[in-house]
Structures are given as structure tokens and as C-alpha cells.
Amino acid sequence: MCREGDEAQDDCGSREEWTLLFWTSLAIIVPVIITLWCSAQRSKRKTHMKDFFRKSKHGWHYTDLFNKPTYCCVCSQHILQGAFCDCCGVCADELCLRRADRSLFCKEIVAPSGRDGAMEHRWVRGNVPLASYCAVCKQQCGTQPKLCDFRCVWCQTTVHDDCMDSLADADVCDLGEFHSLIIPPHYLYRVNKLRRRHPDEYSKLGSSCGSGWTPVLVLANTRSGNNMGEALLGEFRTLLNPVQVFDLSELTPSKALQLCTLLPPGSVRVLVCGGDGTVGWVLDAIDTMKLKGQDQFIPRVTILPLGTGNDLSNTLGWGAGYAGEIPVEQVLRNVLDAEVVKMDRWKVQVASKGLYFRKPKVLSMNNYFSVGPDALMALNFHTHREKTPSFFSSRIINKLELDGERVVLPSLEGIIVCNIGYWGGGCRLWEGMGDEPCPPTRLDDGLLEVVGVFGSFHCAQIQVKLANPVRLGQAHTVRLVLKSSKMPMQVDGEPWAQGPCTITITHKTQALMLYHSAEQTDDDDDESSASETESPTPHDSPRPPGPASARA
């Protein structure tokens, strides 16, 4: 009897265990299945919407949560998620998206002008920018919790619903504050109608856009910075003609700059949103334009620095990095106020020892060239250095010539050749701590500044202003001979490992850059010494060319 009772109890306990196991498994598997199904549906929906966005004339972007109160431009309902066009500002929920795409038109990048030659407003209702004011009554717009008020997608004028009938020149759009930077749709329409594509014809068409018309092209590298490139592209498309804004992840600078050849010669400005590497990429594309005989269409280049470093941007007065601290409108105002300066560009030729039948490696340099500890940090050779402690046990530069004159070197581990005033993310290398007089620097004098460093610790001391580099001199041509084993070197932050070789740096060309003088880019404690020492801006007094000295 006891045995039978025990067996029944064991069977009951076993059934309870299996039941518990079943429900536990079910509790785990069901949510997983639901999650996988939802993920698959979401992925399928994203693929479908991406295909829909690609075919649309709007610049749609989907968001799971709008960052401000938003209303659908079709059904007028408040929405938390949906899509918005970064060109015209139209917003719609997912159910109204196709209807919005059909019935609400985006900015026309190419369109004829009105009967009297004027351009008409292109109004979009609702979702006006925060802190916008009515052009008629001067009161704030968009304050009511509903789809209300109007904004012109070209001139950015905002008007209350009730004030629309009172708006003077309601049918005439002057393109607003940035009219001198915008390529009007009617200009491109007339270009397409030209029988003879000639620069003189472009100049005649450009005169209809007003005096002082200097259209700007925006070239943004979405891989630079903290993923700010994508957002900046949308903001610039909102303020300008979308045809002026290029994503360098989708189109190369060479192709984007071909738009310059359809605009009046000498009128175009290019705003490069990215790091120093992106700027160099664009300047190389401009050199290609020169090789094609398109010199008269060469644009002036300005920078919106993304990411870190940005020594060239700092030298030109645009700061060491942009993190959205000023609105895009102010960026365009700064571009309007900037002045044109010339900047030297250099050719770096690396001829490897013993490889006589291989073409030398040729690179372009805007900022600086270095070999040794400075390049080692960029190349991240830490493990190699740990494995080979004698890697920097002796000097690595066997010979240095400045303008053909050999320079006697101390026991240095590295050489840095600079074209600009800043190095290493904001350090004034040639000027140092300013305790010793030194010749001035300029961007357009055809001279390079050459300094030496004793090691990585010395580099760190220089960056925090605890030490000065070894000033070796200034020269029009620099030649270095390296006979040691494989060493790290870099040009404008692009590092590589190089064996024994001969490096020759010669002047290549000059680029037209835009300099912003209104923004302070150096530390406050340098202001007092600026009058006593050289400034790295392009406005220093010119210096006479001549042979470089062994020590400054």
C-alpha cells in the first residue's frame, strides 16, 4: 500500500514537473517568436518604405518619435511617429504617407519663373519652426495646438492663417536672407534652355539673380563627426536648393563639383562639412578640374569642421570642431562674411629604396607631413613598439635637406613638416610657447616650417605647452632620407608604415580658401602674445623668400 502510494505520488510530481517545464518553455518561446515575427515585419516594412522613399520626389525620412509637437499635413492629426521631408518640411503619419506624396509637392529644383520673371512663394501649412514670427503682425507663429500657419520653403517666411490675405507681395518670393547663396530653380531652367554652353552665357544668367550672387555648394561627409552629417544635410536642404547639397557617401567630390561648370565663373563657394581628410579630398577634386582646363570655374572652399583635430579649419578661423553650438543659419552668414585667401598645397613624393622600377608614391599635403612618434600615434604602433623596444633607440632621420642645404641634426626621433599654423589638434607647433623669436608663417608664401621632436613624450609636452619643438628652419623644398627599418609616417593624418626611402616635398599649387576672421580660435592666454609673435592666420605680413637656416 505504501509502495502504491509512493508511486502515485511520484507520478503526480512528475506530471507537475512536466507541466511546469511546458509552461516555462512556452513563456520563453512565445515571446521570442513574437519578437522575431515583429522584427521581420519591421524589417520588411523598412525595406518597403526605403524603396518607396527612393522613388519619391520628396526627401522622406522616417522617425519613431518627432522631437517637437508635429501634425500630419494630410489629416491634421497630432502624430508621434511618421515621416518628414527634409527639403520642404512636409510631415505625415504612415497611413497618410502615400497621399501626402501624391498631393503635396516638394521643392522644385528646376522650374520656370513667373510671367513677370519673379519667383512665387511655395507655401507649406503647419509645423512651422519654433520661435518663428509672422511677416504681417510680427507675432509668434505655430503656437496653437493644431496644424496651422504657413511657411515658404524658399524664403522661410512664416505667416498666420488669418494674416495671409494681408501679406504684401504674397505671390513674390525673394528667396529670403540667403538669396545670394541659393541657386534659384529658374536659373537651372534657363541653363537647360541654352543653345550655347559658354561661361559668358552663365554670367548673363547670373546677373538676373542679383548683384553679389555667390551660390554655395554643400558637400557633407556623413561619416565625419558624431553622425551629424546626415542632420546637417537636411538642414541645408531646407534653407537652400536641394540640388546644391551633396552627400559624399553617395557622390564623389569630382562629380558634385561639376555643378560649378554650370554657374558663373569665379562665383561659387563650397562648404565642406567634415574633417581635414574630407577637405583634402575636395581639394584634390578641384585639382582635377584644373587638369581638365576648368580653371575659371574653380570654387572658393570653406569648412564646417566635424569630428576632432581639424587643424586646417582652426588655422582658417572656423574653429576646431562643430557640435551644433550655432545654428546652420549662422554658419551661412559666416560664409557670406568670409574673405578669400590663398593656401599652398604640396606634393609629397616617397621613393622606396631599392625599388627603382616602381613609381614613387605621390601624395597631396595641405596640413603637415611627419615621420616618427607623431605618425606612430596615428598608426597605433603600440604593440610593435612593445615588441621591439629598440625601435626608437637611435635617430631615424639620416639626412635632411632644406632648399638643397643639408641641416645638421641632433639625436631626433621624428621630423614634422608643417604648412599651416596648427598641429596635433590645436597646438601652434612652430610658434611653440612663444619664448623665442621666430620667423612668421603664412599660408601663401610657398614656405614650409620644419621642426624636430625627441620622442612621443616630447610630443605630449609640446601639445600641453610644456616644451618647444626643435625649430630646424623654413624652406621651399624639403628632402629627407631614411635608411632605417620600416617606420611610421603620415600625411594630413593618413598614416602608413614605410621602409627605407627618400621623401621629397615640393610646392604643388595654391587653393582658394575662405577665411573667417571674426571667430577667436586660440586660447585666451595667447591673445596677449599675438602682437609679439606670429599669428597662424593668412594675414601675417609677408616674409622674403630665402634659404632656410639650420635653427630658427
Side-chain angles (χ1 to χ4, degrees):
M1 295 293 291
C2 292
R3 291 181 179 176
E4 291 180 359
D6 292 342
E7 290 178 359
Q9 189 175 3
D10 291 341
D11 291 341
C12 181
S14 178
R15 284 196 299 269
E16 289 179 356
E17 290 178 359
W18 280 106
T19 302
L20 180 61
L21 181 62
F22 170 77
W23 286 110
T24 303
S25 302
L26 196 64
I28 295 174
I29 294 174
V30 170
V32 170
I33 293 175
I34 293 175
T35 301
L36 292 175
W37 182 83
C38 291
S39 178
Q41 293 298 315
R42 183 180 178 86
S43 178
K44 182 179 179 181
R45 186 184 67 174
K46 281 189 173 182
T47 303
H48 180 71
M49 293 187 70
K50 186 176 180 180
D51 185 62
F52 168 73
F53 291 167
R54 182 176 56 84
K55 296 178 181 178
S56 173
K57 291 184 178 180
H58 283 274
W60 292 114
H61 291 267
Y62 189 84
T63 179
D64 289 322
L65 181 65
F66 286 101
N67 59 6
K68 66 176 184 177
T70 304
Y71 300 87
C72 177
C73 292
V74 177
C75 67
S76 302
Q77 297 299 311
H78 180 264
I79 54 176
L80 294 177
Q81 63 180 22
F84 65 94
C85 175
D86 65 0
C87 297
C88 66
V90 166
C91 301
D93 59 32
E94 193 169 341
L95 296 176
C96 298
L97 189 55
R98 291 188 176 275
R99 185 178 171 187
D101 193 67
R102 291 193 305 266
S103 60
L104 302 176
F105 298 101
C106 193
K107 280 185 176 180
E108 291 182 292
I109 61 176
V110 179
S113 57
R115 295 179 180 178
D116 56 352
M119 184 174 170
E120 297 182 353
H121 284 291
R122 169 71 181 86
W123 299 107
V124 169
R125 187 161 186 258
N127 303 307
V128 298
L130 299 175
S132 57
Y133 292 86
C134 177
V136 177
C137 68
K138 311 304 179 184
Q139 298 299 313
Q140 191 169 355
C141 290
T143 55
Q144 301 183 54
K146 64 178 183 179
L147 188 76
C148 62
D149 304 336
F150 291 89
R151 176 183 64 91
C152 175
V153 300
W154 288 106
C155 66
Q156 311 305 320
T157 296
T158 54
V159 186
H160 287 126
D161 293 331
D162 298 336
C163 297
M164 179 61 76
D165 294 336
S166 304
L167 181 65
D169 298 327
D171 295 331
V172 179
C173 177
D174 61 359
L175 296 177
E177 178 184 0
F178 304 113
H179 64 277
S180 60
L181 298 178
I182 297 174
I183 301 177
H186 59 77
Y187 175 87
L188 296 176
Y189 180 82
R190 293 173 184 173
V191 167
N192 289 337
K193 295 293 183 180
L194 285 177
R195 294 182 179 179
R196 186 173 71 106
R197 296 290 181 92
H198 192 272
D200 293 339
E201 299 296 327
Y202 301 144
S203 298
K204 292 178 183 177
L205 291 180
S207 62
S208 66
C209 299
S211 59
W213 185 53
T214 55
V216 63
L217 306 185
V218 179
L219 279 61
N221 187 349
T222 54
R223 298 186 180 92
S224 295
N226 299 322
N227 299 319
M228 291 189 62
E230 189 68 33
L232 285 171
L233 284 171
E235 294 187 61
F236 282 117
R237 290 191 187 105
T238 299
L239 296 173
L240 306 172
N241 190 329
V243 78
Q244 300 172 241
V245 184
F246 301 91
D247 185 350
L248 294 182
S249 66
E250 300 177 355
L251 196 70
T252 63
S254 295
K255 293 183 178 179
L257 291 175
Q258 287 307 299
L259 182 56
C260 297
T261 63
L262 300 179
L263 297 166
S267 66
V268 184
R269 300 186 175 201
V270 170
L271 175 60
V272 181
C273 304
D276 287 345
T278 305
V279 178
W281 190 17
V282 173
L283 293 179
D284 286 339
I286 292 176
D287 287 343
T288 302
M289 292 179 65
K290 295 178 182 179
L291 295 176
K292 294 180 179 178
Q294 298 172 340
D295 297 64
Q296 55 188 329
F297 296 108
I298 295 301
R300 282 69 174 153
V301 179
T302 184
I303 308 169
L304 183 62
L306 304 181
T308 57
N310 301 303
D311 291 303
L312 178 57
S313 171
N314 214 357
T315 299
L316 292 170
W318 299 104
Y322 177 78
E325 61 275 7
I326 61 173
V328 169
E329 290 85 353
Q330 186 58 47
V331 172
L332 293 178
R333 294 185 192 107
N334 292 341
V335 172
L336 280 170
D337 296 335
E339 55 184 295
V340 180
V341 297
K342 293 181 179 180
M343 182 187 75
D344 294 321
R345 301 193 73 222
W346 301 83
K347 180 175 74 172
V348 180
Q349 183 172 290
V350 182
S352 298
K353 182 180 179 181
L355 302 177
Y356 302 108
F357 299 103
R358 181 182 296 179
K359 290 184 178 180
K361 184 177 184 177
V362 179
L363 302 160
S364 297
M365 185 188 83
N366 303 310
N367 299 359
Y368 40 73
F369 163 86
S370 67
V371 57
D374 174 46
L376 179 68
M377 290 182 282
L379 192 56
N380 197 15
F381 262 35
H382 302 92
T383 55
H384 294 272
R385 188 172 187 178
E386 290 175 0
K387 292 178 181 178
T388 54
S390 60
F391 198 57
F392 285 107
S393 60
S394 61
R395 63 183 185 179
I396 61 173
I397 311 300
N398 298 88
K399 185 190 295 185
L400 172 65
E401 293 180 0
L402 304 183
D403 287 340
E405 296 185 6
R406 185 164 181 174
V407 177
V408 179
L409 297 173
S411 297
L412 299 172
E413 286 189 5
I415 293 290
I416 304 172
V417 183
C418 291
N419 180 48
I420 62 176
Y422 284 92
W423 161 87
C427 174
R428 287 185 174 179
L429 187 65
W430 178 255
E431 177 185 332
M433 294 187 296
D435 56 351
E436 296 180 6
C438 58
T441 63
R442 284 182 62 96
L443 289 174
D444 59 354
D445 59 359
L447 284 173
L448 293 165
E449 284 70 48
V450 185
V451 301
V453 292
F454 293 112
S456 57
F457 183 68
H458 187 204
C459 286
Q461 287 181 310
I462 294 170
Q463 287 185 313
V464 296
K465 299 183 179 180
L466 292 178
N468 278 332
V470 180
R471 297 192 187 101
L472 299 174
Q474 297 169 304
H476 300 84
T477 301
V478 176
R479 183 171 177 266
L480 299 92
V481 179
L482 308 179
K483 296 182 180 180
S484 62
S485 59
K486 186 172 288 187
M487 299 301 301
M489 59 181 62
Q490 67 163 335
V491 172
D492 291 351
E494 298 297 327
W496 75 96
Q498 176 67 45
C501 64
T502 299
I503 302 122
T504 307
I505 306 176
T506 55
H507 192 270
K508 179 182 179 182
T509 184
Q510 283 189 328
L512 298 176
M513 310 296 291
L514 291 177
Y515 176 76
H516 181 44
S517 59
E519 182 174 330
Q520 180 67 33
T521 59
D522 195 19
D523 298 331
D524 294 335
D525 56 359
D526 285 338
E527 292 179 358
S528 59
S529 62
S531 60
E532 300 175 2
T533 60
E534 113 287 347
S535 171
T537 68
H539 305 287
D540 298 326
S541 58
R543 59 188 173 192
S549 59
R551 287 290 302 271

